[in-house]
Amino acid sequence: MKKDILTLLDLEKEDFERLFKRSRELKARHRKGIYDRSLEGKTLGLLFEKQSTRTRLSLEAAVIQLGGVSVFISAKDTQLDRDEPIKDTARVLSRFVDGLAIRTFSHTVVEEFAEYSTIPIINALTDRYHPCQILSDILTIIECKGRYSELKIAWVGDGNNVAHSWINAASVLGLDLFLACPDGYMPDEKITEKARDKGCGKISITSDPFEAASEADVIYTDVWASMGQESEQTERKKVFEPFRVNSQLIKKASKDVIVMHCLPAHRGEEISEDVLEGPNSVVWDQSENKLHMHKAILEILMGKGKTAEV
Ligand code: CP
Ligand code: NVA
């Protein structure tokens, strides 16, 4: 049976652990210049409707370094842009490639692709979730802190797609997640309630960034206006001004706090230049880990001789 990763709720704790273990092995092998051929003969399609630097390149590099090939498809250059139904496109692409990573606006698009495809569908970001980002981010936390549990993880900023995936991860792994978002920009209550109902982990929400940052081991932020919200940029800049991750905020955190950002960053908006470039920032390692985590994901979902167990 094929397996999709549309949200982190598609994974059990054991699946996360398996991905962390394998991505660390693959990273160590990469450092030594050793590449497995686990995706030899396999083709990954990437169907993107929004811009991407890291996710696209790390997925393409991952598949190529493991012996496979990637095909990038800009959605606007396909017949989808001329109203060919998703259910038809999904069945056709399933005949050509062995897996499909999709970056799009509405989350229902990836759900519909998953329903009609016979190949694994990987959510490479929707307006609602960014699951693979958080998998590689937790890998970075493990590398920096040796664990992901018993750490205060603070989210400071918009209650957006990345925040939603953090909430999902918290409910599967039992994380202590403290989110600070302005009123009116909180995460979707349905997502938070569902996560809290699982009874695993602690999800706290405040509108005070200093409360979230206090004694935090990890401070994470993201853009104030996500892709598709460009028209709200001016208004959002005013509302989010007190939510900037700057040196004043990180002084409240644990002295070994790591500062994370999925990037692209807007210096002087959600994060100050000195913090982004400062000693607590791990953003470049965080970015690199997308490559290693994507390799682990692709191997498990579409690797040679593997059944998709995740
Ligand atoms: N973090 C992330 O997803 O970056 P891109 O938008 O460049 O892929
Ligand atoms: N929240 C951001 C993440 C970019 C990687 C966006 O959706 O634009």
Side-chain angles (χ1 to χ4, degrees), residues 50-55 103-104 124-130 133 155 158 160-163 220 222-230 261-264 266 290:
K50 288 176 171 172
Q51 292 95 334
S52 171
T53 298
R54 283 147 286 270
T55 307
R103 173 168 286 202
T104 187
L125 182 148
T126 63
D127 287 348
R128 211 157 164 75
Y129 298 108
H130 196 4
Q133 178 69 47
W155 172 274
D158 189 18
N160 63 14
N161 45 4
V162 181
Y220 197 120
D222 183 17
V223 292
W224 290 341
S226 286
M227 289 180 277
Q229 296 172 333
E230 289 76 10
H261 191 313
C262 55
L263 305 178
H266 297 81
K290 288 173 73 78

Coordinates of all heavy atoms in Angstrom, one line a residue, residues 50-55 103-104 124-130 133 155 158 160-163 220 222-230 261-264 266 290, ligand 2:
K50 N 3.8 27.3 -5.9 CA 4.3 28.4 -5.1 C 5.8 28.4 -5.3 O 6.4 27.3 -5.5 CB 4.0 28.3 -3.7 CG 2.6 28.6 -3.3 CD 2.4 28.4 -1.8 CE 1.1 28.8 -1.2 NZ 0.9 28.4 0.2
Q51 N 6.5 29.5 -5.0 CA 8.0 29.5 -5.1 C 8.6 28.6 -4.0 O 8.0 28.4 -3.0 CB 8.5 30.9 -4.9 CG 8.2 31.9 -5.9 CD 6.9 32.7 -5.6 OE1 6.1 32.3 -4.9 NE2 6.8 33.9 -6.2
S52 N 9.8 28.2 -4.3 CA 10.6 27.5 -3.3 C 12.1 27.5 -3.6 O 12.4 27.4 -4.8 CB 10.1 26.0 -3.2 OG 11.0 25.2 -2.4
T53 N 12.9 27.6 -2.6 CA 14.4 27.5 -2.8 C 14.8 26.2 -2.2 O 15.3 25.2 -2.8 CB 15.2 28.7 -2.2 OG1 14.8 29.9 -2.9 CG2 16.7 28.5 -2.3
R54 N 14.6 26.1 -0.8 CA 15.1 25.0 0.0 C 14.4 23.7 -0.3 O 15.0 22.6 -0.5 CB 15.0 25.3 1.5 CG 16.1 26.3 2.0 CD 15.5 27.1 3.1 NE 14.6 28.1 2.4 CZ 15.0 29.3 2.0 NH1 16.2 29.7 2.3 NH2 14.2 30.1 1.4
T55 N 13.1 23.7 -0.3 CA 12.3 22.5 -0.3 C 12.5 21.8 -1.7 O 12.8 20.6 -1.8 CB 10.8 22.7 0.0 OG1 10.8 23.4 1.2 CG2 10.1 21.4 0.0
R103 N 3.6 21.4 -3.8 CA 3.6 22.6 -3.0 C 2.4 23.4 -3.7 O 2.4 23.8 -4.8 CB 4.9 23.4 -3.1 CG 4.7 24.8 -2.4 CD 6.1 25.5 -2.2 NE 6.8 24.9 -1.1 CZ 7.7 25.5 -0.4 NH1 8.0 26.8 -0.7 NH2 8.3 25.0 0.6
T104 N 1.4 23.7 -2.8 CA 0.2 24.4 -3.4 C -0.4 25.3 -2.3 O 0.1 25.4 -1.2 CB -0.7 23.3 -3.9 OG1 -1.8 24.0 -4.6 CG2 -1.3 22.4 -2.8
A124 N 4.7 19.3 0.2 CA 5.9 20.2 0.3 C 5.5 21.6 0.7 O 6.3 22.5 0.5 CB 6.6 20.1 -1.1
L125 N 4.4 21.7 1.3 CA 3.8 23.0 1.9 C 2.5 23.3 1.2 O 2.3 23.3 0.0 CB 4.7 24.2 1.7 CG 4.3 25.6 2.3 CD1 5.5 26.4 2.8 CD2 3.4 26.4 1.4
T126 N 1.5 23.5 2.1 CA 0.2 24.0 1.7 C -0.1 25.2 2.6 O 0.7 25.5 3.6 CB -1.0 23.0 1.9 OG1 -1.1 22.7 3.3 CG2 -0.7 21.7 1.1
D127 N -1.2 25.9 2.4 CA -1.5 27.0 3.3 C -1.7 26.6 4.7 O -1.6 27.4 5.6 CB -2.8 27.7 2.8 CG -2.6 28.5 1.5 OD1 -1.5 28.8 1.1 OD2 -3.7 28.9 0.9
R128 N -2.0 25.3 4.9 CA -2.3 24.8 6.2 C -1.2 24.1 7.0 O -1.1 24.1 8.2 CB -3.5 23.8 6.0 CG -4.4 23.8 7.2 CD -5.8 23.3 6.8 NE -6.6 22.9 7.9 CZ -7.1 23.8 8.8 NH1 -7.0 25.1 8.6 NH2 -7.8 23.4 9.8
Y129 N -0.3 23.4 6.2 CA 0.7 22.6 6.9 C 2.0 22.6 6.1 O 2.0 22.8 4.9 CB 0.3 21.1 7.0 CG -1.0 20.9 7.8 CD1 -2.2 20.5 7.2 CD2 -0.9 21.0 9.2 CE1 -3.3 20.3 7.9 CE2 -2.1 20.8 9.9 CZ -3.3 20.4 9.3 OH -4.4 20.2 10.0
H130 N 3.1 22.3 6.8 CA 4.4 22.2 6.2 C 5.2 21.0 6.9 O 6.1 21.2 7.6 CB 5.2 23.5 6.3 CG 6.4 23.6 5.4 ND1 6.7 22.6 4.4 CD2 7.4 24.6 5.3 CE1 7.8 23.0 3.8 NE2 8.2 24.2 4.3
Q133 N 9.1 20.1 6.8 CA 9.9 21.1 7.4 C 10.1 20.8 8.9 O 11.3 20.8 9.4 CB 9.2 22.5 7.3 CG 10.0 23.6 8.0 CD 11.3 24.0 7.2 OE1 11.3 24.1 6.0 NE2 12.4 24.1 8.0
W155 N 7.3 29.1 19.9 CA 6.9 29.6 18.6 C 6.6 31.1 18.7 O 5.6 31.4 19.5 CB 5.8 28.8 18.0 CG 5.3 29.5 16.7 CD1 4.4 30.4 16.5 CD2 5.7 29.2 15.4 NE1 4.2 30.8 15.2 CE2 5.0 30.0 14.5 CE3 6.7 28.3 14.8 CZ2 5.2 30.0 13.1 CZ3 6.8 28.2 13.5 CH2 6.1 29.1 12.6
D158 N 3.3 34.2 13.6 CA 2.0 33.9 13.0 C 1.6 32.5 13.3 O 2.4 31.6 13.2 CB 2.2 34.2 11.5 CG 0.8 34.1 10.8 OD1 -0.2 34.3 11.4 OD2 0.8 33.9 9.5
N160 N 0.6 30.0 11.7 CA 0.5 29.7 10.2 C 0.7 28.2 10.0 O 0.6 27.4 10.9 CB 1.4 30.6 9.4 CG 2.9 30.3 9.8 OD1 3.2 29.3 10.4 ND2 3.8 31.1 9.3
N161 N 0.9 27.9 8.7 CA 1.1 26.5 8.3 C 2.3 25.8 9.0 O 2.1 24.6 9.4 CB 1.4 26.4 6.7 CG 2.4 27.5 6.2 OD1 3.0 28.2 7.0 ND2 2.5 27.5 4.9
V162 N 3.4 26.5 9.3 CA 4.5 25.9 10.0 C 4.1 25.7 11.4 O 4.4 24.6 12.0 CB 5.8 26.8 9.8 CG1 6.9 26.1 10.5 CG2 6.1 26.9 8.3
A163 N 3.4 26.7 12.0 CA 3.0 26.5 13.4 C 2.0 25.3 13.5 O 2.1 24.5 14.5 CB 2.3 27.8 13.9
Y220 N 11.5 29.7 17.8 CA 11.3 29.5 16.4 C 10.4 30.6 15.9 O 9.4 31.0 16.5 CB 10.6 28.1 16.2 CG 10.7 27.6 14.8 CD1 11.3 26.3 14.5 CD2 10.1 28.2 13.7 CE1 11.3 25.8 13.3 CE2 10.2 27.7 12.4 CZ 10.8 26.5 12.2 OH 10.8 25.9 10.9
D222 N 8.9 32.6 12.0 CA 8.7 32.4 10.5 C 8.1 33.8 10.0 O 7.8 34.7 10.8 CB 7.7 31.3 10.3 CG 7.4 31.0 8.8 OD1 8.2 31.4 7.9 OD2 6.4 30.4 8.5
V223 N 8.0 33.9 8.7 CA 7.6 35.2 8.1 C 6.2 35.6 8.7 O 5.4 34.8 9.1 CB 7.4 35.1 6.6 CG1 8.8 34.9 5.9 CG2 6.5 33.9 6.2
W224 N 6.0 36.9 8.7 CA 4.7 37.5 9.2 C 3.6 37.3 8.1 O 2.4 37.3 8.5 CB 4.9 38.9 9.6 CG 5.7 39.1 10.8 CD1 6.0 38.1 11.8 CD2 6.4 40.3 11.3 NE1 6.8 38.7 12.8 CE2 7.0 40.0 12.5 CE3 6.5 41.6 10.8 CZ2 7.7 40.9 13.3 CZ3 7.2 42.5 11.5 CH2 7.8 42.2 12.7
A225 N 4.0 37.4 6.8 CA 3.0 37.2 5.8 C 3.5 36.0 4.9 O 4.6 36.1 4.3 CB 2.8 38.4 4.9
S226 N 2.8 34.9 4.9 CA 3.1 33.8 4.1 C 2.8 34.0 2.6 O 2.1 34.9 2.3 CB 2.4 32.5 4.7 OG 2.9 32.1 5.9
M227 N 3.3 33.0 1.8 CA 3.0 33.1 0.4 C 1.5 33.0 0.2 O 0.8 32.2 0.8 CB 3.6 31.9 -0.3 CG 5.2 32.0 -0.4 SD 5.9 30.7 -1.2 CE 6.1 29.5 0.1
G228 N 1.0 34.0 -0.6 CA -0.5 34.1 -0.8 C -1.1 35.2 0.1 O -2.3 35.5 -0.1
Q229 N -0.3 35.7 1.1 CA -0.9 36.8 1.9 C -0.2 38.1 1.7 O -0.2 39.0 2.5 CB -0.6 36.4 3.4 CG -1.4 35.1 3.8 CD -1.0 34.6 5.2 OE1 0.1 34.8 5.6 NE2 -1.9 33.9 5.8
E230 N 0.4 38.3 0.5 CA 1.1 39.5 0.2 C 0.3 40.8 0.3 O 0.8 41.8 0.8 CB 1.7 39.4 -1.3 CG 2.8 38.4 -1.5 CD 2.4 36.9 -1.6 OE1 1.1 36.7 -1.6 OE2 3.2 36.1 -1.5
H261 N 14.5 29.3 12.2 CA 13.7 30.0 11.3 C 13.7 29.0 10.0 O 14.8 28.7 9.6 CB 14.3 31.3 10.9 CG 13.4 32.2 10.2 ND1 12.7 31.8 9.0 CD2 13.0 33.5 10.3 CE1 11.9 32.8 8.6 NE2 12.1 33.9 9.3
C262 N 12.5 28.7 9.5 CA 12.5 27.8 8.4 C 13.1 28.5 7.1 O 13.4 27.8 6.2 CB 11.1 27.3 8.1 SG 9.9 28.6 7.9
L263 N 13.1 29.8 7.1 CA 13.6 30.6 6.0 C 12.7 30.5 4.8 O 12.0 29.5 4.7 CB 15.0 30.2 5.6 CG 16.1 30.2 6.7 CD1 17.5 29.8 6.1 CD2 16.3 31.6 7.3
P264 N 12.5 31.5 4.0 CA 13.3 32.7 3.9 C 13.0 33.7 5.0 O 11.9 33.8 5.5 CB 12.9 33.3 2.5 CG 11.5 32.9 2.3 CD 11.5 31.5 2.9
H266 N 13.2 37.6 6.9 CA 13.1 39.0 6.6 C 13.7 39.7 7.7 O 13.1 39.9 8.8 CB 11.6 39.4 6.4 CG 11.0 38.8 5.2 ND1 10.5 37.5 5.3 CD2 10.8 39.2 3.9 CE1 10.0 37.2 4.1 NE2 10.2 38.2 3.2
K290 N 17.2 19.7 5.8 CA 16.1 19.3 4.9 C 16.6 18.3 3.9 O 15.9 17.4 3.5 CB 15.6 20.6 4.1 CG 14.8 21.5 5.1 CD 14.5 22.9 4.4 CE 13.4 22.8 3.3 NZ 12.0 22.7 3.9
Ligands
NVA2 N1 4.9 30.3 6.3 C1 5.7 30.4 5.1 C2 6.7 29.3 5.1 C3 7.7 29.4 4.0 C4 8.6 28.2 4.0 C5 4.9 30.4 3.9 O1 4.0 29.6 3.7 O2 5.2 31.3 3.0

